[in-house]
Amino acid sequence: CTKLSPGSVYNLADKGDSDQGLVNGLIGEIFEVKIGFLGWLKSNAAAIMMDTVVRSVNEKHVPPFTEICQEQKIFNTPISPYLDKEVLKQKGLCIDGSAIEKQGFKYSAPKVTKELLLEQIKFMQDQKIFPTV
């Protein structure tokens, strides 16, 4: 893929139909944490009290992560446990990354896997932008 039309925009997206459940499952497996989804009733109750839920989650997760980063002298990281309430809203998103393939581009990693995530985590740890945990 060496010749793309100037000004063209192409989406890059994995070809594995990855969704929040898949990614959360892999992250849970890697970090040995339980990640789950609430049922309809709990989800609707949480939606009514969104500010309270988000504040509670951030109060639980952000301080320990910040402490771990400070202990390891990591003062700037692209990854954060901070949760914005917009993330919890029911807004589906689907990205089609096939147009660039028509130009000859080949995905070297077409699907999100545990191994690929571990590789990225190690890369960030080597760069000192993500803590070893």
Side-chain angles (χ1 to χ4, degrees), residues 49-63:
M49 305 181 329
M50 187 67 72
D51 289 336
T52 302
V53 170
V54 169
R55 188 176 325 107
S56 174
V57 167
N58 285 329
E59 286 172 358
K60 179 178 180 180
H61 297 287
V62 172

Side-chain angles (χ1 to χ4, degrees), residues 33-133:
V33 294
K34 182 181 178 192
I35 299 173
F37 294 92
L38 301 174
W40 177 85
L41 185 60
K42 287 182 181 179
S43 290
N44 283 336
I48 293 169
M49 305 181 329
M50 187 67 72
D51 289 336
T52 302
V53 170
V54 169
R55 188 176 325 107
S56 174
V57 167
N58 285 329
E59 286 172 358
K60 179 178 180 180
H61 297 287
V62 172
F65 183 81
T66 302
E67 185 177 319
I68 290 169
C69 286
Q70 288 173 342
E71 287 171 1
Q72 296 183 29
K73 308 233 183 304
I74 297 170
F75 303 110
N76 190 11
T77 176
I79 307 292
S80 170
Y82 177 80
L83 181 64
D84 189 285
K85 67 181 178 182
E86 292 297 318
V87 173
L88 298 177
K89 292 184 177 176
Q90 299 288 335
K91 295 182 179 177
L93 177 65
C94 181
I95 298 173
D96 181 353
S98 64
I100 197 167
E101 291 180 288
K102 294 174 185 155
Q103 304 300 317
F105 178 83
K106 301 275 188 236
Y107 286 95
S108 62
K111 294 184 180 185
V112 177
T113 65
K114 180 179 176 181
E115 293 72 29
L116 287 172
L117 288 178
L118 286 168
E119 187 179 307
Q120 290 305 303
I121 291 166
K122 182 180 180 331
F123 174 79
M124 290 188 292
Q125 289 170 335
D126 290 347
Q127 299 294 313
K128 307 277 191 252
I129 59 174
F130 191 78
T132 55
V133 290

